[in-house]
Amino acid sequence: MTSGLLPPQVLQAVLEQLAESVLITDASGRILYVNEAFERLTGYRREEVLGKNPRFLKSGRHPLEFYQAFWQGILSGKPFRGVFVNRRKDGSLYTEEKVVTPVQGPTGKVEYLVATSRDITEEMALKSRLEELSTLDPLTGLLNRRAFSEQVETDLLRSGSRRALAYLDLDRFKAVNDTLGHAAGDRVLARLGSRLREALPHGVVGRLGGDEFAAWFPAKDALEAREKAQHLLRAVGMEVVVEGQPVRLEASLGLALYPEHGVTLAELLRRADLAMYRAKAFRLPHPEVFTPDLDGLTPQTLALEAEFHRALASGKATLWFQSLLDLRHQTYRDAEVLFRMESPRGLLNPLGQLDLSRRAVNEALDRFVFSQIALLQKRFPSLRLWANVTPWSLSDPGFLALVEQEVHRGLHPERVVLEVSERLALPHLSRITPALWRLKTLGFRLALDDFGTGQTSLLHLKSLPLDFLKISRELLWLGRGEGGESRVGPILAHLVEMAHGLGLGVVLEGVEREEEVALARHLGCDLAQGFLLHRPSPEPVCP
Ligand code: C2E
Ligand code: CA
Ligand code: CA
């Protein structure tokens, strides 16, 4: 049997060998005892600390109130539990989970304080690292997408002041990864992270993923936004040396302004992204601010548009020909000119994928086509050229000025037929009619293209100064199916008759089969066009 009490020498051994650090002071806070674990934890030897007040361990990390609360609890006789950040003898910080127990003497007064503590430095470091990881991108140290979005969104709720969102995408970063390896690529990104942060001390910079970054910063107008964003581009352009190799990056940067371009993060991001795509497509070396005409465009359209402009500027654009057969004389004296450009994907017509209602596109196209027509007329003096124009050209005073200028320089309008598509023209009819009359007065012939798919009644056409009707190939092709001929035949016959009644010449286009030529003849059409007769080619059929 034992009494349950340990002899003093056993108690001493227990204290000495306890894994927790133990510190015992008297009521005034003078250290009476520390164990070996204390020595290991703090780096102080026992002789150095006995008789002293433990305040030499203070890190300065806790406010005064922390210690006041501590002493209040202790003096009232209650144990105090808490996490302390203290300083070791070598100056380094450690975090301990501490319990300080007041121990009463025989009189009931607090005579000793016993502090036991557990070192949780590593646990805490791990925890804060995990927290960091959930907000910071581990590679660049920038905010990750989620944290960046949260910051911007909180800011949007609070802030009435004007700001800008920058969307930055590295150009050809894949090449860095491919040539130097992914590890080197990662080092370049890590370096870039700190540079971007330094470039924008009053903003928030985040990595949205891969080689895409975003920044959110105060800017009172577009000018200031551009200036600040220029710092980001400059940071990207600074040389980085990896594996002994100097690497110089480039980026494209788009800006959206708060509040004029959007009041939500999603809207601002979308529009900054569109502006970024324009910067990338046109290889702009400066920040590009969003403009409303970008809405609705896809990055692919923008890239193609830029390719189109480059092709025009570098002689990679050309006109091909598709000759038309004169059914009465069996001759090819007419040819439609069709736009083509060289691209990495071969020679193609990009116009179907471009937005021709965009003035810069339409204008550049017309400028090219009409300058070419003037040259082609010299090369093929007996040919009549048919050229396509859009309703957007026809409602633009600049277009008429361009055409008049070409006529003035020697273009022969009487040897040109201008085609405008019925479907495109229809919604703009009243706006384009004056231009059609002006062109007619200048001497051009006019044709309504792809007729029969829109809703224009032939009578409607009486008010337009037209010379030709090109019957839509879709309408012709409707006649191809089982019994199609008997359904479409009468419609075509009626169209041709009405057109002739109005004094218009008729073209049947999309002719791909012998029987369709025969049909054109039978209907009394004037001209026929189609792959069977002549496929679009670099040269017209010689008359
Ligand atoms: P569009 O005015 O209807 O021009 C005829 C298009 O139909 C051409 O395509 C031609 O290759 C195609 N085609 C002609 N005959 C046949 C046929 O028998 N079968 C088939 N399957 N297709 C045939 P392309 O050259 O790709 O041109 C497409 C459109 O692009 C043109 O349609 C025109 O609206 C526009 N376009 C072409 N060049 C110009 C231009 O210089 N300016 C403007 N504004 N538009 C142009
Ligand atoms: Ca056409
Ligand atoms: Ca056509």
Side-chain angles (χ1 to χ4, degrees):
M1 286 299 287
T2 65
S3 64
L5 290 174
L6 291 170
Q9 65 273 27
V10 177
L11 270 177
Q12 185 73 27
V14 169
L15 278 179
E16 276 306 306
Q17 290 167 39
L18 216 55
E20 269 98 2
S21 120
V22 177
L23 176 146
I24 301 175
T25 69
D26 63 16
S28 71
R30 270 165 27 106
I31 298 176
L32 302 175
Y33 172 81
V34 294
N35 69 353
E36 279 171 17
F38 174 91
E39 291 184 314
R40 279 196 301 276
L41 177 62
T42 63
Y44 288 102
R45 277 176 297 109
R46 186 172 296 165
E47 312 83 84
E48 292 177 275
V49 304
L50 290 180
K52 291 194 178 144
N53 185 297
R55 69 169 69 97
F56 61 84
L57 294 169
K58 277 188 185 175
S59 64
R61 289 294 172 101
H62 299 287
L64 197 62
E65 298 84 74
F66 176 83
Y67 295 103
Q68 282 170 350
F70 166 73
W71 280 113
Q72 235 164 35
I74 290 300
L75 294 177
S76 66
K78 280 186 277 185
F80 179 92
R81 282 167 198 281
V83 172
F84 285 70
V85 177
N86 282 334
R87 199 177 290 284
R88 295 193 183 89
K89 187 177 178 188
D90 67 6
S92 61
L93 296 178
Y94 64 97
T95 310
E96 54 181 0
E97 194 177 53
K98 209 192 233 333
V99 184
V100 182
T101 315
V103 177
Q104 294 164 359
T107 59
K109 258 181 57 194
V110 172
E111 291 190 1
Y112 306 101
L113 300 178
V114 179
T116 55
S117 53
R118 199 164 65 83
D119 182 7
I120 55 165
T121 312
E122 276 172 25
E123 262 168 58
M124 293 301 281
L126 190 67
K127 191 160 158 253
S128 77
R129 180 97 187 95
L130 282 175
E131 269 165 18
E132 236 173 44
L133 278 181
S134 63
T135 53
L136 294 187
D137 168 52
L139 188 56
T140 59
L142 298 173
L143 293 180
N144 62 23
R145 181 184 267 276
R146 196 176 53 83
F148 178 81
S149 307
E150 272 172 18
Q151 284 241 12
V152 175
E153 271 167 348
T154 350
D155 212 32
L156 283 171
L157 287 178
R158 272 204 305 249
S159 151
S161 64
R162 311 173 72 82
R163 278 158 193 281
L165 183 82
Y167 202 120
L168 185 150
D169 185 286
L170 298 181
D171 299 332
R172 293 176 296 280
F173 185 68
K174 197 178 163 291
V176 175
N177 275 333
D178 289 349
T179 51
L180 299 176
H182 279 265
D186 281 358
R187 246 170 296 145
V188 173
L189 286 179
R191 195 71 199 84
L192 186 62
S194 46
R195 283 190 182 163
L196 288 176
R197 231 184 0 240
E198 286 158 21
L200 210 62
H202 301 295
V204 189
V205 186
R207 181 181 180 208
L208 301 184
D211 56 355
E212 289 176 19
F213 301 85
W216 173 245
F217 52 93
K220 64 178 184 303
D221 55 18
L223 188 69
E224 190 185 342
R226 248 189 248 117
E227 270 170 13
K228 287 184 169 174
Q230 189 67 50
H231 292 302
L232 294 172
L233 284 180
R234 228 172 276 140
V236 172
M238 276 169 14
E239 194 176 271
V240 185
V241 180
V242 271
E243 321 255 284
Q245 287 258 39
V247 178
R248 209 179 271 281
L249 292 173
E250 281 175 27
S252 305
L253 192 151
L255 286 166
L257 306 178
Y258 169 82
E260 51 265 59
H261 299 150
V263 292
T264 63
L265 174 64
E267 185 74 346
L268 289 165
L269 266 180
R270 192 179 66 76
R271 290 180 146 177
D273 191 25
L274 275 173
M276 185 279 290
Y277 267 105
R278 180 160 58 194
K280 193 175 281 287
F282 288 88
R283 299 180 188 155
L284 303 176
H286 52 76
E288 179 70 355
V289 180
F290 170 82
T291 49
D293 64 325
L294 285 172
D295 269 335
L297 287 183
T298 64
Q300 292 87 317
T301 312
L302 276 172
L304 187 67
E305 190 178 306
E307 203 182 332
F308 164 77
H309 285 293
R310 276 197 299 276
L312 285 175
S314 62
K316 288 187 171 154
T318 178
L319 291 181
W320 271 27
F321 303 87
Q322 188 181 26
S323 291
L324 287 78
L325 174 65
D326 180 329
L327 291 164
R328 199 156 309 128
H329 303 98
Q330 282 301 315
T331 51
Y332 289 91
R333 296 180 162 276
D334 296 271
E336 180 174 354
V337 290
L338 297 166
F339 182 81
R340 295 290 183 272
M341 74 178 200
E342 286 170 40
S343 88
R345 303 172 299 293
L347 194 74
L348 50 85
N349 173 11
L351 302 179
Q353 279 82 258
L354 289 178
D355 182 353
L356 288 176
S357 71
R358 281 162 66 70
R359 186 143 176 223
V361 178
N362 216 347
E363 217 172 58
L365 176 64
D366 288 336
R367 196 169 293 283
F368 174 74
V369 170
F370 281 86
S371 67
Q372 289 294 302
I373 285 177
L375 297 174
L376 291 172
Q377 284 188 329
K378 293 201 182 79
R379 242 177 89 197
F380 305 107
S382 57
L383 208 58
R384 183 165 60 179
L385 296 170
W386 298 52
N388 296 284
V389 292
T390 66
W392 298 284
S393 296
L394 294 173
S395 48
D396 174 7
F399 172 74
L400 282 178
L402 165 79
V403 171
E404 280 167 15
Q405 190 186 34
E406 289 294 344
V407 170
H408 185 70
R409 284 189 189 156
L411 184 149
H412 300 286
E414 67 287 352
R415 286 202 277 129
V416 176
V417 184
L418 298 179
E419 303 183 11
V420 54
S421 139
E422 180 208 3
R423 192 175 38 82
L424 294 182
L426 200 59
H428 306 273
L429 219 49
S430 59
R431 241 184 310 148
I432 66 173
T433 305
L436 291 177
W437 280 103
R438 177 77 194 123
L439 290 166
K440 182 78 178 175
T441 314
L442 281 170
F444 288 95
R445 302 276 178 282
L446 301 174
L448 196 62
D449 199 0
D450 306 321
F451 187 82
T453 46
Q455 310 287 313
T456 323
S457 98
L458 277 177
L459 288 173
H460 214 134
L461 302 182
K462 260 176 87 173
S463 61
L464 297 176
L466 294 175
D467 301 279
F468 293 96
L469 210 61
K470 291 183 87 173
I471 294 174
S472 138
R473 55 181 182 274
E474 271 112 61
L475 195 58
L476 173 68
W477 293 351
L478 275 181
R480 285 180 181 175
E482 186 73 32
E485 166 108 45
S486 58
R487 259 186 297 120
V488 178
I491 299 175
L492 290 175
H494 177 69
L495 271 185
V496 176
E497 195 186 338
M498 290 279 283
H500 282 160
L502 291 168
L504 304 179
V506 178
V507 183
L508 194 66
E509 69 164 26
V511 169
E512 292 178 340
R513 304 169 175 191
E514 290 293 350
E515 65 264 28
E516 288 169 349
V517 191
L519 176 67
R521 279 211 179 83
H522 172 75
L523 292 170
C525 294
D526 302 274
L527 295 148
Q529 182 182 14
F531 284 3
L532 178 76
L533 303 168
H534 187 228
R535 273 185 183 261
S537 324
E539 297 288 326
V541 178
C542 279

